Amino acid sequence: MIPDSLKNSLDGAIPSMIVSVDENDMPNVTIVSQVFYVDENHVAISNQFLSKTIRNLTATKRAAIQLIDPIEIFMWILQVEFIREEKEGSLFDDMNMQLEAIASMTGMQDVFKLKSAFVCRVHSVEKLPKA
Amino acid sequence: MQSDSDSIKQHISENETIIQKLNEQLERRTNEIKIIQSISDEIINSLDPESIFNRSMQLLDEVFGFHHSHILLKKENEDVLYVVACHGYENSGLGAEVKYGEGILGTVARHKKIMRVSGIQSKLRIVKMMTADESKSESKKLPGLPKVDSQMVIPLVVDQRLIGVYSVESEDIGAFKAIDELILKLVGSQIATAIENAMLFKKQERLVEAYRRFVPEELHEMLGKESILDIKRGDQVQGEYTILFSDIRGFTSISEQMTPQQNFDFINEYLGFIVPAIKKNGGFVDKYIGDAIMAIFPNKPADAVRAAREMTKNLAEFNRVIQSRSENFTQIKSGIGIHTGTIMAGIIGADERFEGTVISDAVNIASRLESLTKEMSCAIIASDAVVRTLSAEERGNCSELGDVNVKGKKNSVRIYKLDD
């Protein structure tokens, strides 16, 4: 499902956008610093303090993610479904390490803690033509 | 039919393109592996830490375009890294320290896992944006590029022990890809092993150096052994050698007026003046007994005589230097005894403690001649065995002092006073 050419956009070079909806179809848009590659059918987002997004994903499962290719600067739109939360394991450790490294550069390592990894199945990948 | 055959042709042509692409990829991979192999070979064959640092960073720059890199090593007994080498920076930042957990370098050290981070600047902005308390988010100055955006850091691990980290960075967005991570991982483990080996070798060299100060190399050579590793208890050799004994007169009374620290400082300074003359003239110190020196000259007795005269001269210089420092210092005098005879050198000891030693009557005689210098009020006394081998020039102003008896010796020994 996730093509090789999309992986560059999952390195977190450019922040991504997540659109989720609540039970009443009220949309919410958030910027996240990185959407993580899990395997060819899954990505993960970090649960730190994206309270609204996390709440929406837990309630309605669905979200759309906009990624930007850091070299060619074009967009990808992913339709995803939240399937599970991970609080330990290698995915959690890798994501936690990234967060810890950046936070410690500003002395905020005690504030920025990863609560869990939200693993989402990718339902569709759409590459938008360059503007 | 026509359309079927067309579609088959198209399929074949598509397949050919795919195969060609795969072949190209394979060739590129093979090249990369070859390059990594040759880097590894070059690095692993070096035992000099500096050249491992510099060469690996230079090669990774030339071949893979990693223009800015750092190597940091872990401090012993401390969770702190320090910069030992860098490549591609205006300011070297050598010696700069990073604690475990600090920034990307410190985080990799703490977790001992490779990390590739992209979009560092935007991530930092997001962190700052989300931090209400701005005062807390004071960035600590860490080694590296000021506007770094992409960084890969690999832990250098040997036997699951972190010895340091290797970092490459760039101000470009998305500079490092998954393939770069793989390359660094492959080369990194080779670099880690090479550094560890080089460090061990350096430590080994220091140990050998330290060891040499305790057991003279010349003793190994006399025993026909190449290194201390080959020496075992019971190894021995017998031959005709010259023994030189030197002692400070009345050192006990001088010593009583000094603190232990002053005693050691005094003796070490004294030996620093006197001892070089021994090596310079082809001898070596077998042992120090307090302020006394016992030296062996494996070649000609004349070597020992030359050394003795030079030692006396050096003692005068020592006296002059000390007196210029403290006025109430009374000049010290020393006596030197020289004798040539058959000696046995070998390794003695039990359990854990071995020592190279010399067993011979010649040692007792040389020691006795040294103690006679006081009675005879002269600086150097040599036995007939020494003097009869000297040329007229080597004898210099030499006068016979008569025959003396030495404890345990049947025959008396004829002795001579040598000018200094």
Side-chain angles (χ1 to χ4, degrees):
Chain A
M1 177 60 70
I2 299 176
D4 271 350
S5 52
L6 179 101
K7 287 185 185 166
N8 281 349
S9 311
L10 294 171
D11 283 342
I14 297 176
S16 309
M17 212 103 82
I18 299 184
V19 185
S20 59
V21 288
D22 70 9
E23 299 92 326
N24 305 315
D25 289 339
M26 175 64 77
N28 179 71
V29 183
T30 311
I31 291 177
V32 295
S33 57
Q34 186 163 359
V35 176
F36 292 83
Y37 175 83
V38 180
D39 59 40
E40 56 185 15
N41 292 307
H42 297 90
V43 293
I45 59 169
S46 56
N47 169 17
Q48 357 168 6
F49 32 57
L50 306 168
S51 48
K52 196 73 178 282
T53 303
I54 292 302
R55 211 163 50 227
N56 287 350
L57 274 176
T58 312
T60 65
K61 314 289 184 199
R62 301 262 160 171
I65 300 174
Q66 182 207 66
L67 302 167
I68 297 172
D69 184 283
I71 311 294
E72 307 278 340
I73 318 292
F74 57 76
M75 280 180 212
W76 298 92
I77 304 290
L78 275 54
Q79 300 292 339
V80 304
E81 178 195 359
F82 167 57
I83 54 164
R84 66 170 182 275
E85 194 181 359
E86 291 186 8
K87 293 186 171 178
E88 55 183 20
S90 68
L91 173 68
F92 177 87
D93 290 344
D94 285 349
M95 289 170 67
N96 190 34
M97 214 171 132
Q98 290 268 346
L99 192 68
E100 193 181 311
I102 296 289
S104 72
M105 288 170 85
T106 55
M108 298 306 291
Q109 60 274 32
D110 298 331
V111 182
F112 283 71
K113 288 238 188 275
L114 184 66
K115 288 184 201 150
S116 62
F118 264 50
V119 180
C120 301
R121 178 179 294 130
V122 179
H123 282 289
S124 72
V125 174
E126 186 188 354
K127 183 174 168 180
L128 297 188
K130 271 198 211 181
Chain B
M1 270 316 261
Q2 184 64 33
S3 74
D4 264 4
S5 106
D6 277 353
S7 112
I8 289 172
K9 272 183 190 165
Q10 199 190 333
H11 262 298
I12 291 175
S13 126
E14 272 172 11
N15 279 344
E16 275 177 349
T17 321
I18 292 172
I19 289 170
Q20 198 186 338
K21 265 193 180 161
L22 283 174
N23 273 333
E24 279 169 12
Q25 274 181 11
L26 187 67
E27 197 183 347
R28 213 179 55 224
R29 287 283 150 85
T30 314
N31 271 340
E32 276 162 1
I33 288 169
K34 272 189 196 155
I35 291 164
I36 289 167
Q37 184 67 48
S38 71
I39 291 177
S40 302
D41 284 350
E42 188 174 338
I43 293 167
I44 209 97
N45 283 326
S46 173
L47 282 172
D48 171 36
E50 291 291 314
S51 74
I52 293 170
F53 300 153
N54 295 326
R55 197 69 189 121
S56 60
M57 291 189 294
Q58 196 187 346
L59 283 168
L60 287 177
D61 183 357
E62 283 168 12
V63 181
F64 300 110
F66 299 161
H67 300 317
H68 304 280
S69 49
H70 273 117
I71 296 177
L72 293 91
L73 291 185
K74 184 192 178 299
K75 280 192 159 180
E76 230 170 295
N77 308 322
E78 247 181 294
D79 286 347
V80 175
L81 303 165
Y82 64 103
V83 179
V84 290
C86 61
H87 174 82
Y89 296 90
E90 274 179 28
N91 297 319
S92 76
L94 288 184
E97 293 187 356
V98 179
K99 290 195 190 96
Y100 276 30
E102 260 178 7
I104 296 168
L105 298 167
T107 304
V108 167
R110 176 183 279 169
H111 294 273
K112 291 198 274 186
K113 266 172 97 171
I114 186 168
M115 187 154 60
R116 178 167 58 98
V117 191
S118 297
I120 295 171
Q121 292 303 321
S122 74
K123 283 173 178 163
L124 282 173
R125 272 197 296 276
I126 291 175
V127 166
K128 279 179 184 157
M129 221 164 64
M130 290 177 163
T131 313
D133 186 2
E134 276 289 323
S135 64
K136 263 186 98 178
S137 64
E138 189 68 26
S139 300
K140 186 183 182 272
K141 184 81 196 83
L142 294 172
L145 295 167
K147 288 252 172 282
V148 58
D149 204 67
S150 306
Q151 190 169 8
M152 288 194 294
V153 182
I154 186 164
L156 301 172
V157 176
V158 178
D159 289 338
Q160 299 180 340
R161 194 165 36 83
L162 183 99
I163 62 164
V165 301
Y166 193 112
S167 160
V168 298
E169 54 178 11
S170 168
E171 288 183 336
D172 295 343
I173 290 174
F176 307 119
K177 316 225 163 34
I179 180 73
D180 297 311
E181 192 176 323
L182 194 67
I183 289 165
L184 200 63
K185 226 174 178 168
L186 285 172
V187 182
S189 64
Q190 306 288 330
I191 294 172
T193 310
I195 291 175
E196 174 79 351
N197 284 344
M199 291 303 201
L200 282 176
F201 182 73
K202 220 174 167 184
K203 196 171 175 185
Q204 191 67 33
E205 274 190 327
R206 281 211 306 273
L207 268 178
V208 170
E209 190 62 34
Y211 188 80
R212 237 180 237 146
R213 297 201 189 104
F214 286 96
V215 175
E217 218 176 345
E218 290 85 347
L219 191 65
H220 306 167
E221 282 167 17
M222 272 171 73
L223 292 169
K225 305 287 179 184
E226 222 162 77
S227 104
I228 185 67
L229 298 174
D230 305 324
I231 285 185
K232 47 186 197 307
R233 187 169 64 156
D235 282 340
Q236 49 76 35
V237 67
Q238 183 173 323
E240 186 96 336
Y241 298 100
T242 304
I243 308 277
L244 178 151
F245 237 96
S246 162
D247 201 4
I248 299 176
R249 277 198 208 130
F251 184 69
T252 318
S253 57
I254 302 170
S255 163
E256 278 166 358
Q257 296 157 25
M258 293 191 278
T259 66
Q261 184 65 55
Q262 284 171 332
N263 260 295
F264 275 95
D265 290 347
F266 182 83
I267 289 181
N268 283 329
E269 192 169 4
Y270 161 76
L271 293 175
F273 269 85
I274 305 303
V275 168
I278 294 170
K279 192 159 177 102
K280 194 179 147 195
N281 288 290
F284 67 92
V285 175
D286 175 65
K287 57 170 71 75
Y288 299 108
I289 310 148
D291 62 299
I293 304 162
M294 176 177 154
I296 298 175
F297 291 79
N299 305 317
K300 287 182 298 186
D303 293 343
V305 171
R306 238 183 1 262
R309 286 179 173 138
E310 207 168 314
M311 286 161 80
T312 317
K313 212 176 290 165
N314 293 349
L315 178 65
E317 176 65 9
F318 170 78
N319 278 328
R320 201 186 56 73
V321 168
I322 300 289
Q323 199 141 45
S324 72
R325 233 171 25 212
S326 54
E327 275 177 19
N328 44 13
F329 166 76
T330 25
Q331 296 210 348
I332 57 162
K333 284 183 180 153
S334 79
I336 297 173
I338 310 169
H339 178 65
T340 299
T342 305
I343 69 167
M344 292 178 291
I347 305 297
I348 58 160
D351 293 336
E352 295 293 298
R353 179 77 169 86
F354 289 2
E355 194 179 49
T357 198
V358 166
I359 305 168
S360 170
D361 268 353
V363 174
N364 299 334
I365 295 171
S367 163
R368 170 92 173 104
L369 300 191
E370 179 273 310
S371 60
L372 281 172
T373 55
K374 194 179 175 185
E375 287 169 36
M376 308 283 186
S377 50
C378 60
I380 308 167
I381 290 181
S383 67
D384 180 49
V386 174
V387 172
R388 67 168 174 250
T389 69
L390 302 176
S391 68
E393 196 188 336
E394 285 162 352
R395 274 182 210 194
N397 197 1
C398 167
S399 52
E400 194 187 313
L401 296 170
D403 294 348
V404 291
N405 289 317
V406 180
K407 212 162 90 182
K409 268 300 248 191
K410 252 194 280 168
N411 301 328
S412 58
V413 177
R414 178 154 300 170
I415 61 169
Y416 295 84
K417 166 187 167 184
L418 294 179
D419 66 273
D420 46 286

